[in-house]
């Protein structure tokens, strides 16, 4: 569809820094249902063979634009799992979008400018706007106006739903009590309030260089796939990054894990219905293959977020057991 090599071009002469996960909130015991009940978790999640090259490209791109890493990043590993079977430029582009999305959530002053750039305007001085313009220049060409409108709608929805600036939120205590997740964040209507932008799922298509036909993308069956994938990713994102809001009497993290297990099973059920949908729409072989690629990507994106949640839990367990000085925490 277009040349994505620019997404993987190295930027020389810059120092680098690691992109790391923020401190998670769940124990390995709480996460046990993920590995015990989900068939998708019985084998290790594949990782892109060029993950270190992806990491280097993402770090240098981020530093070149002044887009510093944010808590909960580790974007190269997440993208490396989500698009493990794709070429390195595709996975690198997705990783860069993940890094940008983390900053977009945390920079309310830039949100209106980003929406303006998505509508054809020029970026302002804010780094998040400039980074978005760079990504948009690579991702948008070749995509239809319908896709662009869908993406802009998702971006605007998250802009409306995002919480107050982070400097207005008090820092979490060193040993927080187990947080709980409101029921609203576990429903389709409340998904954008979790802080996970569902527009990130729309970006799978330009990263792969394909577009799902409108006859499929507008169907209830396809929405079942995208919504389930978005829910799994959103809930894992919240739990892994420790951004779960608390409110008395509402759902506990253990209950959220159970909901993730159920939602992942629903995602696989919805994905298995896609071939019949494609056949009913009368798509040719090439279009059918593109729909299949995107469907598989939604499954691997969700699987990557599950792995990230487990990885975060493992790191938290190690940090909790002993500090670097040997003192129990």
């Amino acid at each position: 569809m277009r040349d994505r090599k620019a997404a993987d071009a190295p930027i020389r002469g810059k120092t680098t820094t690691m992109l790391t996960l923020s401190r998670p909130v769940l124990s390995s015991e709480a996460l046990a249902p993920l590995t015990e009940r989900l068939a998708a978790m019985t084998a290790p999640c594949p990782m892109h063979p060029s993950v270190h090259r992806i990491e280097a490209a993402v770090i240098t791109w981020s530093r070149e634009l002044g887009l510093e890493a944010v808590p909960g990043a580790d974007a190269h590993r997440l993208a490396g799992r989500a698009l493990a079977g794709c070429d390195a430029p595709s996975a690198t582009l997705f990783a860069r979008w993940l890094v940008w999305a983390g900053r977009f959530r945390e920079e309310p002053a830039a949100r209106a400018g980003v929406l303006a750039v998505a509508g054809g305007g020029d970026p302002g001085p804010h780094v998040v706007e400039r980074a978005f313009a760079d990504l948009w220049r690579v991702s948008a060409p070749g995509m239809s106006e319908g896709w662009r409108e869908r993406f802009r709608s998702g971006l605007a929805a998250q802009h409306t739903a995002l919480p107050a600036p982070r400097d207005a939120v008090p820092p979490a205590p060193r040993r927080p009590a187990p947080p709980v997740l409101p029921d609203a964040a576990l429903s389709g209507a409340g998904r954008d309030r979790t802080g996970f932008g569902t527009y990130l799922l729309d970006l799978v298509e330009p990263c792969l260089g394909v577009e799902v036909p409108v006859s499929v993308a507008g169907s209830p069956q396809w929405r079942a796939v995208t919504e389930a994938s978005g829910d799994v990713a959103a809930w894992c994102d919240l739990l892994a990054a420790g951004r779960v809001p608390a409110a008395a009497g509402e759902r506990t993290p253990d209950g959220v894990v159970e909901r993730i297990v159920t939602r992942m099973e629903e995602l696989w059920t919805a994905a298995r219905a896609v071939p019949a949908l494609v056949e009913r729409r009368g798509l040719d072989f090439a279009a059918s293959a593109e729909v299949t690629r995107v469907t598989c990507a939604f499954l691997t994106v969700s699987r990557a977020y599950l792995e990230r949640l487990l990885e975060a839990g493992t790191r938290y367990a190690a940090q909790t057991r002993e500090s670097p000085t040997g003192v129990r925490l």
Side-chain angles (χ1 to χ4, degrees), residues 292-310:
T292 299
R293 286 186 68 198
V294 177
T295 305
C296 291
F298 284 148
L299 295 173
T300 57
V301 165
S302 304
R303 176 65 174 84
Y305 270 92
L306 286 167
E307 191 73 20
R308 176 176 180 259
L309 182 57
L310 290 173

Side-chain angles (χ1 to χ4, degrees), residues 210 278 284-294:
V210 303
V278 168
D284 60 24
F285 178 80
S288 298
E290 290 187 347
V291 172
T292 299
R293 286 186 68 198
V294 177

Side-chain angles (χ1 to χ4, degrees), residues 221-248:
Q221 296 92 333
W222 187 255
R223 285 198 300 273
V225 174
T226 58
E227 289 179 2
S229 182
D231 284 344
V232 171
W235 303 342
C236 289
D237 191 46
L238 280 169
L239 294 178
R243 292 195 302 271
V244 183

